[in-house]
Amino acid sequence: MTRTLYDLCGRDERLRFSPYCWRVRMALAHKKLEFDTIAWRFEDKEALAFADYDKVPVLCDNEQIITDSFEIMRYLDKAYPESPVLGEGVDYQRALFFKYFVERSVTPGLFRIVALDLLDAIHPDDRDYFRKTREARFGMPLAEVHNPEQGRQQLTQALAPVRDQLRSSPFIDGEAPSGADYLLFGSMMWAHTVSLEPLAEPNDPVDEWFKRMLTVHGGVAGNALTIRDLS
Amino acid sequence: MTRTLYDLCGRDERLRFSPYCWRVRMALAHKKLEFDTIAWRFEDKEALAFADYDKVPVLCDNEQIITDSFEIMRYLDKAYPESPVLGEGVDYQRALFFKYFVERSVTPGLFRIVALDLLDAIHPDDRDYFRKTREARFGMPLAEVHNPEQGRQQLTQALAPVRDQLRSSPFIDGEAPSGADYLLFGSMMWAHTVSLEPLAEPNDPVDEWFKRMLTVHGGVAGNALTIRDLS
């Protein structure tokens, strides 16, 4: 019985910040599934050739090879139906919407807050690749994308519905964290791992929630190495 | 057996545009529940005194009096559990998030597109009340809030995750419309009822979805009177 997650690493091999990998790590923890990780870097396309894929996360679950974070979450619900993370039917549809909400409305603001910190957290050999692909995506130099103040304004506005939600329950999905929590948490953990920039005001319900998420499932996220632990 | 919905009306009593009332009308249609409406106007607080409430929708379902559109949807799921609109547990939580998404991220853009058209659609006796309350909320004159071009930009961006969602299913909630569809539809129907302004590009999946929503449940929304029918 082996379960292995290919997981993006940074300049220190223990620095793991991919938002997509964090989704999966939290989903695995939610289902109490043990796993090993293999540290992977952007340029290491060869290592994923077996999966016919060029990005992480890739999960190897015994004979199964599954790529794409959301597909992995879906796979985990099918293979291990107890404690679903996405759910089925309408439940699944609403999780899918939440995924798009995180990627379209939240992540761009986060990226503007941490762009240069992220570059610095990445392995030196990966930085050219990262800079080129991200500058092409944004159509401007990374140094211009990086604008923590504007990013924070964008983020505060994008998170308004999450803030409302967290006024009536400790987690987005209710009394306990589930798929929607992991989808948003993945992106915020990404920013938190590579940067010291604050992401929300101290008394913001989103900040309280983020701290709560760091402690769930035995503190799997809270115990992870961040740039705070590196000199 | 009587079921009555207090429903906001405009300068023509048949013009029904409240986004919150439309949510409920669609939820009632979803559950195939017959109902009558009572036309109500903003200033008519007396008429709702029996409900200890000052806004519509108010639903009277035999002996039950329920206020607030989302509470009414919730009530309908409890009283008529077949074909849930919000669902329970995580399902419900994700619908609640979607409600906040619509109200916080989508409605402000829509309001900027139709503000003055909305004023014009309202009963003349209600316009002072409407102008005062809305100008206080936005902190600027209605004529400044009204900016269809900026509103459309805001809306296009806010709807990005909905657009992604509708690329893989005909409705937000999947193969058939349900709670999330009604929550967004209510707001778009509000703008569509009072204004000729386009809300999305003709080949936008959101536009296709909106047209589809006008036809569901026997065309209950598509057959409703809009300002297109008034001279």
Side-chain angles (χ1 to χ4, degrees):
Chain A
M1 177 71 178
T2 58
R3 196 175 293 116
T4 310
L5 180 69
Y6 285 78
D7 189 19
L8 184 68
C9 72
R11 61 184 163 92
D12 184 301
E13 201 182 281
R14 297 166 300 166
L15 199 61
R16 308 292 176 92
F17 50 83
S18 158
Y20 307 108
C21 294
W22 269 109
R23 291 176 180 180
V24 172
R25 294 172 79 115
M26 296 303 282
L28 286 162
H30 176 102
K31 288 181 183 277
K32 300 186 175 32
L33 297 171
E34 303 280 333
F35 63 101
D36 294 318
T37 67
I38 293 181
W40 179 87
R41 294 194 352 237
F42 287 111
E43 293 277 41
D44 205 4
K45 305 296 186 197
E46 274 301 302
L48 300 181
F50 74 95
D52 196 21
Y53 208 62
D54 66 348
K55 284 191 287 284
V56 292
V58 170
L59 181 72
C60 303
D61 191 26
N62 292 313
E63 303 303 298
Q64 299 285 323
I65 299 168
I66 316 102
T67 61
D68 180 274
S69 60
F70 201 72
E71 285 307 314
I72 295 174
M73 292 170 88
R74 201 174 181 177
Y75 162 80
L76 292 175
D77 271 355
K78 292 213 161 102
Y80 309 95
E82 212 176 318
S83 308
V85 285
L86 300 179
E88 290 179 353
V90 168
D91 218 1
Y92 171 81
Q93 285 292 128
R94 292 177 187 168
L96 181 60
F97 171 79
F98 196 85
K99 163 193 139 79
Y100 290 131
F101 165 76
V102 169
E103 293 173 3
R104 292 292 199 153
S105 307
V106 178
T107 307
L110 282 168
F111 195 84
R112 303 207 67 184
I113 301 176
V114 305
L116 291 182
D117 297 335
L118 188 57
L119 185 68
D120 192 56
I122 284 169
H123 193 280
D125 293 351
D126 276 350
R127 287 180 196 162
D128 274 354
Y129 167 86
F130 179 80
R131 185 189 284 277
K132 257 184 227 152
T133 52
R134 271 47 179 184
E135 292 190 343
R137 191 182 298 167
F138 283 88
M140 62 174 90
L142 266 192
E144 279 179 42
V145 177
H146 186 84
N147 188 328
E149 201 174 321
Q150 279 187 24
R152 218 151 12 232
Q153 273 178 28
Q154 219 174 309
L155 184 67
T156 300
Q157 191 163 341
L159 289 176
V162 177
R163 204 169 290 120
D164 286 346
Q165 179 89 337
L166 292 170
R167 289 204 174 93
S168 60
S169 60
F171 297 99
I172 298 166
D173 275 340
E175 291 305 311
S178 190
D181 294 275
Y182 306 140
L183 290 164
L184 179 60
F185 179 75
S187 288
M188 293 191 64
M189 184 65 186
W190 165 64
H192 172 77
T193 304
V194 301
S195 174
L196 302 177
E197 288 285 349
L199 305 176
E201 299 289 328
N203 53 358
D204 186 323
V206 174
D207 191 58
E208 302 291 324
W209 164 84
F210 184 75
K211 288 184 192 142
R212 212 172 288 136
M213 288 296 292
L214 289 173
T215 70
V216 301
H217 306 319
V220 55
N223 295 331
L225 188 106
T226 75
I227 53 136
R228 288 158 198 80
D229 306 305
L230 301 176
S231 57
Chain B
M1 177 72 179
T2 58
R3 196 175 294 115
T4 310
L5 180 69
Y6 285 77
D7 189 19
L8 184 68
C9 72
R11 61 184 162 92
D12 184 300
E13 202 183 281
R14 297 166 302 166
L15 198 61
R16 306 294 175 92
F17 50 85
S18 159
Y20 307 108
C21 293
W22 268 110
R23 291 177 179 180
V24 172
R25 294 172 78 116
M26 296 304 282
L28 287 162
H30 176 101
K31 288 182 183 277
K32 299 187 175 33
L33 297 171
E34 302 280 333
F35 63 101
D36 295 317
T37 67
I38 293 180
W40 178 86
R41 296 196 350 239
F42 286 109
E43 293 277 41
D44 205 5
K45 305 296 186 198
E46 273 301 303
L48 300 181
F50 74 95
D52 196 20
Y53 208 61
D54 66 349
K55 283 191 288 286
V56 291
V58 170
L59 181 71
C60 303
D61 191 26
N62 291 314
E63 303 303 297
Q64 299 284 323
I65 298 168
I66 317 102
T67 61
D68 180 274
S69 60
F70 201 72
E71 285 306 315
I72 294 173
M73 292 170 89
R74 201 174 182 179
Y75 162 81
L76 292 175
D77 271 355
K78 293 215 163 100
Y80 309 95
E82 213 178 317
S83 309
V85 286
L86 300 179
E88 289 177 354
V90 169
D91 218 2
Y92 170 82
Q93 285 292 127
R94 292 177 186 167
L96 180 61
F97 170 79
F98 196 85
K99 163 194 138 80
Y100 291 131
F101 165 76
V102 168
E103 293 172 3
R104 290 293 198 153
S105 306
V106 178
T107 307
L110 282 168
F111 195 84
R112 302 207 68 185
I113 301 177
V114 305
L116 290 183
D117 297 334
L118 187 57
L119 184 69
D120 191 57
I122 284 169
H123 192 281
D125 294 352
D126 276 350
R127 287 181 195 162
D128 274 355
Y129 167 86
F130 179 81
R131 185 190 284 276
K132 258 185 226 152
T133 52
R134 270 49 177 183
E135 293 189 343
R137 190 182 300 168
F138 284 86
M140 61 175 90
L142 266 192
E144 278 180 43
V145 176
H146 186 84
N147 187 329
E149 201 174 323
Q150 279 189 23
R152 214 144 22 225
Q153 273 178 27
Q154 218 174 311
L155 184 67
T156 300
Q157 190 163 342
L159 289 176
V162 178
R163 204 171 289 120
D164 286 346
Q165 179 89 338
L166 292 171
R167 287 203 177 91
S168 60
S169 59
F171 297 100
I172 298 165
D173 275 340
E175 291 304 310
S178 189
D181 294 276
Y182 306 140
L183 289 164
L184 179 60
F185 179 76
S187 289
M188 293 192 63
M189 184 65 187
W190 164 64
H192 172 78
T193 304
V194 301
S195 173
L196 302 177
E197 288 285 348
L199 305 176
E201 298 289 327
N203 53 0
D204 185 325
V206 174
D207 191 58
E208 303 291 323
W209 165 83
F210 184 75
K211 288 183 191 144
R212 213 172 287 135
M213 288 297 292
L214 289 173
T215 70
V216 301
H217 306 320
V220 55
N223 295 330
L225 188 106
T226 76
I227 54 134
R228 289 157 197 80
D229 305 305
L230 300 176
S231 57

Short mmCIF file of all heavy atoms in Angstrom, two decimals, chain A residues 36-70:
data_model
loop_
_atom_site.label_atom_id
_atom_site.label_comp_id
_atom_site.label_asym_id
_atom_site.label_seq_id
_atom_site.Cartn_x
_atom_site.Cartn_y
_atom_site.Cartn_z
N ASP A 36 3.16 9.78 1.38
CA ASP A 36 4.48 10.37 1.30
C ASP A 36 4.45 11.44 0.22
O ASP A 36 3.62 11.41 -0.67
CB ASP A 36 5.51 9.31 0.90
CG ASP A 36 5.65 8.25 1.98
OD1 ASP A 36 5.67 8.62 3.16
OD2 ASP A 36 5.72 7.06 1.63
N THR A 37 5.41 12.37 0.30
CA THR A 37 5.50 13.33 -0.79
C THR A 37 6.84 13.17 -1.49
O THR A 37 7.82 12.71 -0.89
CB THR A 37 5.38 14.80 -0.30
OG1 THR A 37 6.51 15.13 0.49
CG2 THR A 37 4.11 15.01 0.50
N ILE A 38 6.85 13.54 -2.76
CA ILE A 38 8.11 13.64 -3.51
C ILE A 38 8.24 15.10 -3.90
O ILE A 38 7.34 15.67 -4.54
CB ILE A 38 8.08 12.74 -4.76
CG1 ILE A 38 8.05 11.27 -4.33
CG2 ILE A 38 9.27 13.04 -5.67
CD1 ILE A 38 8.04 10.28 -5.48
N ALA A 39 9.33 15.71 -3.47
CA ALA A 39 9.56 17.12 -3.78
C ALA A 39 9.78 17.27 -5.28
O ALA A 39 10.55 16.51 -5.88
CB ALA A 39 10.77 17.64 -3.01
N TRP A 40 9.12 18.22 -5.89
CA TRP A 40 9.18 18.41 -7.34
C TRP A 40 9.42 19.90 -7.63
O TRP A 40 8.99 20.76 -6.86
CB TRP A 40 7.87 17.93 -7.96
CG TRP A 40 7.79 18.11 -9.45
CD1 TRP A 40 8.23 17.24 -10.39
CD2 TRP A 40 7.21 19.21 -10.16
NE1 TRP A 40 7.97 17.74 -11.66
CE2 TRP A 40 7.35 18.94 -11.54
CE3 TRP A 40 6.59 20.41 -9.77
CZ2 TRP A 40 6.89 19.82 -12.53
CZ3 TRP A 40 6.14 21.28 -10.75
CH2 TRP A 40 6.31 20.97 -12.11
N ARG A 41 10.12 20.17 -8.73
CA ARG A 41 10.33 21.56 -9.13
C ARG A 41 9.83 21.80 -10.55
O ARG A 41 9.81 20.90 -11.38
CB ARG A 41 11.81 21.91 -9.01
CG ARG A 41 12.29 21.88 -7.54
CD ARG A 41 13.65 22.54 -7.36
NE ARG A 41 14.25 22.88 -8.61
CZ ARG A 41 15.45 22.46 -9.02
NH1 ARG A 41 16.19 21.70 -8.23
NH2 ARG A 41 15.92 22.82 -10.20
N PHE A 42 9.45 23.06 -10.83
CA PHE A 42 8.84 23.44 -12.11
C PHE A 42 9.51 22.85 -13.34
O PHE A 42 8.86 22.44 -14.29
CB PHE A 42 8.82 24.97 -12.26
CG PHE A 42 7.81 25.66 -11.41
CD1 PHE A 42 8.20 26.46 -10.34
CD2 PHE A 42 6.45 25.54 -11.68
CE1 PHE A 42 7.26 27.13 -9.55
CE2 PHE A 42 5.50 26.22 -10.91
CZ PHE A 42 5.92 27.01 -9.84
N GLU A 43 10.85 22.85 -13.32
CA GLU A 43 11.58 22.45 -14.52
C GLU A 43 11.69 20.93 -14.67
O GLU A 43 12.16 20.43 -15.68
CB GLU A 43 13.00 23.06 -14.50
CG GLU A 43 13.03 24.57 -14.63
CD GLU A 43 12.94 25.05 -16.07
OE1 GLU A 43 12.15 24.49 -16.84
OE2 GLU A 43 13.66 26.02 -16.40
N ASP A 44 11.23 20.22 -13.66
CA ASP A 44 11.44 18.78 -13.60
C ASP A 44 10.34 18.01 -14.34
O ASP A 44 9.72 17.10 -13.79
CB ASP A 44 11.48 18.39 -12.11
CG ASP A 44 12.28 17.12 -11.88
OD1 ASP A 44 12.86 16.60 -12.85
OD2 ASP A 44 12.27 16.65 -10.72
N LYS A 45 10.11 18.37 -15.60
CA LYS A 45 9.01 17.78 -16.38
C LYS A 45 9.19 16.27 -16.57
O LYS A 45 8.22 15.52 -16.56
CB LYS A 45 8.90 18.46 -17.75
CG LYS A 45 8.75 19.98 -17.71
CD LYS A 45 7.48 20.45 -17.03
CE LYS A 45 7.28 21.97 -17.14
NZ LYS A 45 6.30 22.49 -16.17
N GLU A 46 10.46 15.86 -16.71
CA GLU A 46 10.78 14.43 -16.90
C GLU A 46 10.18 13.54 -15.81
O GLU A 46 9.67 12.45 -16.09
CB GLU A 46 12.31 14.23 -16.87
CG GLU A 46 12.98 14.43 -18.20
CD GLU A 46 12.46 13.47 -19.27
OE1 GLU A 46 12.54 12.25 -19.04
OE2 GLU A 46 11.95 13.93 -20.31
N ALA A 47 10.26 14.03 -14.58
CA ALA A 47 9.81 13.23 -13.43
C ALA A 47 8.32 12.91 -13.49
O ALA A 47 7.86 11.98 -12.83
CB ALA A 47 10.13 13.96 -12.13
N LEU A 48 7.56 13.71 -14.28
CA LEU A 48 6.11 13.48 -14.35
C LEU A 48 5.70 12.81 -15.67
O LEU A 48 4.50 12.62 -15.92
CB LEU A 48 5.35 14.80 -14.20
CG LEU A 48 5.58 15.57 -12.89
CD1 LEU A 48 4.74 16.84 -12.88
CD2 LEU A 48 5.23 14.70 -11.68
N ALA A 49 6.69 12.45 -16.49
CA ALA A 49 6.38 11.86 -17.80
C ALA A 49 5.49 10.62 -17.64
O ALA A 49 4.58 10.40 -18.44
CB ALA A 49 7.66 11.52 -18.54
N PHE A 50 5.73 9.84 -16.58
CA PHE A 50 4.93 8.62 -16.34
C PHE A 50 3.44 8.93 -16.23
O PHE A 50 2.59 8.08 -16.49
CB PHE A 50 5.40 7.91 -15.06
CG PHE A 50 4.97 8.61 -13.81
CD1 PHE A 50 3.81 8.23 -13.14
CD2 PHE A 50 5.71 9.67 -13.29
CE1 PHE A 50 3.39 8.88 -11.99
CE2 PHE A 50 5.30 10.33 -12.14
CZ PHE A 50 4.15 9.93 -11.49
N ALA A 51 3.11 10.16 -15.80
CA ALA A 51 1.71 10.54 -15.60
C ALA A 51 1.13 11.25 -16.82
O ALA A 51 -0.03 11.63 -16.83
CB ALA A 51 1.59 11.44 -14.37
N ASP A 52 1.98 11.43 -17.85
CA ASP A 52 1.58 12.18 -19.04
C ASP A 52 1.05 13.56 -18.64
O ASP A 52 0.00 14.01 -19.11
CB ASP A 52 0.53 11.37 -19.81
CG ASP A 52 0.36 11.91 -21.24
OD1 ASP A 52 1.29 12.57 -21.73
OD2 ASP A 52 -0.70 11.67 -21.85
N TYR A 53 1.76 14.22 -17.76
CA TYR A 53 1.31 15.50 -17.21
C TYR A 53 2.56 16.33 -16.92
O TYR A 53 3.64 15.76 -16.75
CB TYR A 53 0.50 15.25 -15.93
CG TYR A 53 -0.53 16.30 -15.64
CD1 TYR A 53 -1.58 16.53 -16.52
CD2 TYR A 53 -0.47 17.06 -14.46
CE1 TYR A 53 -2.55 17.49 -16.24
CE2 TYR A 53 -1.43 18.02 -14.18
CZ TYR A 53 -2.46 18.23 -15.07
OH TYR A 53 -3.41 19.17 -14.79
N ASP A 54 2.41 17.65 -16.82
CA ASP A 54 3.61 18.48 -16.61
C ASP A 54 3.52 19.39 -15.40
O ASP A 54 4.29 20.35 -15.28
CB ASP A 54 3.91 19.28 -17.89
CG ASP A 54 2.84 20.31 -18.18
OD1 ASP A 54 1.77 20.25 -17.55
OD2 ASP A 54 3.08 21.17 -19.04
N LYS A 55 2.54 19.10 -14.55
CA LYS A 55 2.37 19.96 -13.36
C LYS A 55 2.05 19.09 -12.16
O LYS A 55 1.60 17.96 -12.30
CB LYS A 55 1.18 20.92 -13.57
CG LYS A 55 1.45 22.08 -14.51
CD LYS A 55 0.34 23.12 -14.46
CE LYS A 55 -0.92 22.68 -15.13
NZ LYS A 55 -0.88 22.73 -16.60
N VAL A 56 2.22 19.66 -10.96
CA VAL A 56 1.75 18.97 -9.76
C VAL A 56 0.49 19.68 -9.28
O VAL A 56 0.23 20.81 -9.69
CB VAL A 56 2.83 19.00 -8.64
CG1 VAL A 56 4.00 18.15 -9.04
CG2 VAL A 56 3.24 20.42 -8.28
N PRO A 57 -0.30 19.03 -8.44
CA PRO A 57 -0.09 17.71 -7.84
C PRO A 57 -0.37 16.55 -8.81
O PRO A 57 -1.23 16.66 -9.68
CB PRO A 57 -1.13 17.69 -6.71
CG PRO A 57 -2.24 18.55 -7.22
CD PRO A 57 -1.55 19.66 -7.97
N VAL A 58 0.40 15.49 -8.60
CA VAL A 58 0.08 14.18 -9.18
C VAL A 58 0.03 13.23 -7.98
O VAL A 58 0.94 13.24 -7.16
CB VAL A 58 1.16 13.73 -10.18
CG1 VAL A 58 0.95 12.27 -10.58
CG2 VAL A 58 1.18 14.62 -11.42
N LEU A 59 -1.05 12.47 -7.90
CA LEU A 59 -1.18 11.50 -6.81
C LEU A 59 -1.07 10.08 -7.36
O LEU A 59 -1.73 9.76 -8.35
CB LEU A 59 -2.53 11.66 -6.10
CG LEU A 59 -2.76 10.70 -4.91
CD1 LEU A 59 -1.90 11.07 -3.71
CD2 LEU A 59 -4.24 10.66 -4.50
N CYS A 60 -0.20 9.30 -6.76
CA CYS A 60 -0.11 7.87 -7.08
C CYS A 60 -0.70 7.11 -5.90
O CYS A 60 -0.14 7.18 -4.79
CB CYS A 60 1.33 7.45 -7.30
SG CYS A 60 2.13 8.40 -8.60
N ASP A 61 -1.82 6.45 -6.15
CA ASP A 61 -2.51 5.73 -5.09
C ASP A 61 -2.53 4.27 -5.49
O ASP A 61 -3.38 3.86 -6.29
CB ASP A 61 -3.93 6.31 -4.97
CG ASP A 61 -4.64 5.80 -3.71
OD1 ASP A 61 -3.95 5.44 -2.74
OD2 ASP A 61 -5.88 5.76 -3.72
N ASN A 62 -1.56 3.50 -4.98
CA ASN A 62 -1.32 2.14 -5.49
C ASN A 62 -1.17 2.19 -7.00
O ASN A 62 -0.26 2.88 -7.47
CB ASN A 62 -2.43 1.18 -5.06
CG ASN A 62 -2.36 0.95 -3.56
OD1 ASN A 62 -1.29 0.69 -3.03
ND2 ASN A 62 -3.49 1.06 -2.87
N GLU A 63 -2.06 1.53 -7.74
CA GLU A 63 -1.91 1.47 -9.21
C GLU A 63 -2.44 2.73 -9.90
O GLU A 63 -2.20 2.94 -11.08
CB GLU A 63 -2.66 0.24 -9.77
CG GLU A 63 -2.21 -1.08 -9.17
CD GLU A 63 -0.72 -1.31 -9.36
OE1 GLU A 63 -0.29 -1.39 -10.53
OE2 GLU A 63 0.01 -1.38 -8.34
N GLN A 64 -3.23 3.54 -9.19
CA GLN A 64 -3.89 4.68 -9.80
C GLN A 64 -2.95 5.89 -9.88
O GLN A 64 -2.23 6.18 -8.92
CB GLN A 64 -5.10 5.10 -8.95
CG GLN A 64 -6.17 4.04 -8.81
CD GLN A 64 -6.98 3.89 -10.08
OE1 GLN A 64 -7.25 4.87 -10.76
NE2 GLN A 64 -7.34 2.66 -10.43
N ILE A 65 -3.00 6.57 -11.03
CA ILE A 65 -2.27 7.83 -11.17
C ILE A 65 -3.30 8.91 -11.48
O ILE A 65 -4.03 8.79 -12.47
CB ILE A 65 -1.26 7.76 -12.34
CG1 ILE A 65 -0.23 6.65 -12.07
CG2 ILE A 65 -0.58 9.10 -12.56
CD1 ILE A 65 0.60 6.31 -13.28
N ILE A 66 -3.38 9.93 -10.63
CA ILE A 66 -4.41 10.96 -10.85
C ILE A 66 -3.73 12.33 -10.87
O ILE A 66 -2.90 12.64 -10.01
CB ILE A 66 -5.49 10.94 -9.74
CG1 ILE A 66 -5.92 9.50 -9.45
CG2 ILE A 66 -6.73 11.72 -10.17
CD1 ILE A 66 -5.32 8.94 -8.20
N THR A 67 -4.09 13.13 -11.88
CA THR A 67 -3.51 14.47 -12.04
C THR A 67 -4.61 15.52 -11.86
O THR A 67 -5.79 15.20 -11.96
CB THR A 67 -2.90 14.63 -13.44
OG1 THR A 67 -3.95 14.47 -14.41
CG2 THR A 67 -1.83 13.59 -13.71
N ASP A 68 -4.21 16.73 -11.57
CA ASP A 68 -5.10 17.89 -11.38
C ASP A 68 -5.73 17.84 -9.99
O ASP A 68 -6.37 16.85 -9.62
CB ASP A 68 -6.19 17.95 -12.45
CG ASP A 68 -7.12 19.15 -12.25
OD1 ASP A 68 -8.09 19.04 -11.49
OD2 ASP A 68 -6.84 20.20 -12.84
N SER A 69 -5.58 18.93 -9.25
CA SER A 69 -5.99 18.93 -7.84
C SER A 69 -7.48 18.63 -7.64
O SER A 69 -7.85 17.87 -6.74
CB SER A 69 -5.64 20.27 -7.19
OG SER A 69 -6.29 21.32 -7.85
N PHE A 70 -8.31 19.23 -8.48
CA PHE A 70 -9.75 19.03 -8.29
C PHE A 70 -10.15 17.60 -8.65
O PHE A 70 -10.98 16.99 -7.98
CB PHE A 70 -10.54 20.05 -9.12
CG PHE A 70 -11.94 20.28 -8.64
CD1 PHE A 70 -12.19 20.98 -7.47
CD2 PHE A 70 -13.04 19.81 -9.37
CE1 PHE A 70 -13.49 21.20 -7.01
CE2 PHE A 70 -14.33 20.02 -8.92
CZ PHE A 70 -14.56 20.73 -7.74
#
